[in-house]
Amino acid sequence: MTDLLRFQAHHVSDKDIRVLRSLVGLAGNQTDLRVTISEDDEGDILLIDVDDAEGRAAWEAFNRGPVPAVALSKQRDFPARFLLTKPIRSQPLIQLLGELTSPSHSPEVEARTAPAWAVMAFGDDELPLAEHLRRHTWDAPVVLASDGGAELIIDAGSGAWYSGASDRELARLLQRSFAASTVRELSSSELIDHTNGLEQNNLTHLKWRAGLALSDGALHPDLAGDVRLMLPQVPLQALSDTAYSRQARLLIRAPMTVDELAEASRAEKDDVAAFLNACHACGFLLIDAGRPASASG
């Protein structure tokens, strides 16, 4: 994009045009851009009011064309790559201008560089902790030891875990793949000895952390392809992260494929994969029965 950014407005009300024109001066001062709003046939960016019936029809016709399109809407979850919400405010407008002028958001660049979803591959026996927990590998309490000797104790029957490991040591344990046979089971008395003085934690929180640590941007194989996913409610663990909570609120409204979720949430692919992997590890996700998941699930 050049220093002059021209918006071509479609079915935008006179009031919103006036608001935009009053705000673009402020935006230009903060972004070193000159921004114009016009209703003629020339523009670098299409601005379409999708709350208007004719505007929605124009959106359907133009939003995937060669010219970038911005949806103007009261709907904060409207599924658009670029969205400006009403009432129009200066900071969201400035943020939008930054997104539009970033080279990484050029449609031509995205078409060339956007990778397909990577999918994890598991061995026959060696699995990451999240997958062991999802498959309910252990009925009895077990202890895992880090290379440095720090312990992670899991008591799946009680839905609890304990550890005195540092965050770094725990992260290494969550990322490591291992065979179930390498983990030592604990008797009732050993469980008491190993957990003495340690805080009891909810196992769901460990599953969530382990699911997030599963891979770097790769999806669990149960979630790949055209399967449709849904959540019955927003997981408490997702509330502390805006990207995750936004995805969760979309998935409680209607089933979606991974591609649909990524587009509607406007989240980075790594965030989508991490969120879905964590939800699946915890057993939160509903997978469309008409599109069966892998046999391992």
Side-chain angles (χ1 to χ4, degrees):
M1 298 285 181
T2 66
D3 289 340
L4 173 62
L5 194 63
R6 300 172 301 173
F7 279 86
Q8 179 187 343
H10 287 262
H11 306 286
V12 180
S13 69
D14 292 340
K15 176 183 176 182
D16 285 332
I17 291 285
R18 289 195 299 271
V19 171
L20 278 167
R21 284 176 173 158
S22 68
L23 291 176
V24 292
L26 174 62
N29 291 336
Q30 298 191 36
T31 62
D32 295 324
L33 284 170
R34 288 192 300 124
V35 182
T36 65
I37 311 292
S38 69
E39 297 175 78
D40 57 27
D41 293 331
E42 294 185 0
D44 304 303
I45 307 292
L46 300 179
L47 178 66
I48 304 174
D49 189 334
V50 296
D51 296 339
D52 177 271
E54 293 184 7
R56 185 59 182 267
W59 175 262
E60 298 298 336
F62 297 128
N63 80 307
R64 296 187 184 277
V67 179
V70 175
L72 178 64
S73 178
K74 294 178 181 178
Q75 304 176 52
R76 296 186 179 276
D77 60 347
F78 185 81
R81 175 70 179 168
F82 301 111
L83 176 65
L84 184 61
T85 56
K86 304 175 188 175
I88 304 168
R89 296 288 186 262
S90 60
Q91 285 305 313
L93 177 60
I94 291 170
Q95 180 179 350
L96 172 67
L97 294 177
E99 293 176 354
L100 288 168
T101 55
S102 170
S104 65
H105 286 95
S106 165
E108 293 82 3
V109 171
E110 286 190 3
R112 292 194 303 267
T113 63
W117 290 98
V119 181
M120 290 176 285
F122 299 133
D124 293 334
D125 192 21
E126 292 195 350
L127 301 170
L129 179 59
E131 189 64 8
H132 280 298
L133 293 173
R134 192 188 72 82
R135 297 187 186 190
H136 308 288
T137 298
W138 308 291
D139 294 324
V142 295
V143 57
L144 290 72
S146 70
D147 294 337
E151 293 183 342
L152 170 62
I153 298 96
I154 299 172
D155 184 4
S158 299
W161 67 281
Y162 311 79
S163 183
S166 67
D167 287 342
R168 179 176 296 182
E169 290 171 324
L170 187 58
R172 289 172 180 166
L173 284 170
L174 298 184
Q175 293 169 352
R176 192 178 73 191
S177 293
F178 55 91
S181 58
T182 64
V183 175
R184 187 165 73 87
E185 292 190 1
L186 298 175
S187 65
S188 298
S189 59
E190 288 176 319
L191 176 62
I192 294 172
D193 290 339
H194 280 267
T195 59
N196 184 35
L198 297 178
E199 180 182 359
Q200 177 177 308
N201 300 287
N202 189 308
L203 187 59
T204 299
H205 297 306
L206 181 65
K207 290 180 179 180
W208 180 266
R209 292 182 62 175
L212 292 178
L214 263 180
S215 67
D216 184 13
L219 281 170
H220 189 286
D222 285 357
L223 312 178
D226 62 351
V227 294
R228 300 182 70 81
L229 310 168
M230 195 171 182
L231 284 171
Q233 62 187 36
V234 176
L236 293 176
Q237 293 79 6
L239 294 178
S240 61
D241 188 294
T242 302
Y244 296 161
S245 62
R246 184 167 62 245
Q247 293 177 63
R249 289 187 171 91
L250 287 168
L251 285 180
I252 65 175
R253 293 174 184 169
M256 290 182 167
T257 65
V258 178
D259 286 328
E260 290 169 342
L261 177 61
E263 181 177 357
S265 66
R266 296 185 294 154
E268 297 292 335
K269 281 196 169 186
D270 286 1
D271 286 339
V272 174
F275 170 71
L276 291 177
N277 288 339
C279 287
H280 191 41
C282 294
F284 294 153
L285 277 178
L286 303 177
I287 299 177
D288 192 334
R291 304 172 188 266
S294 67
S296 65

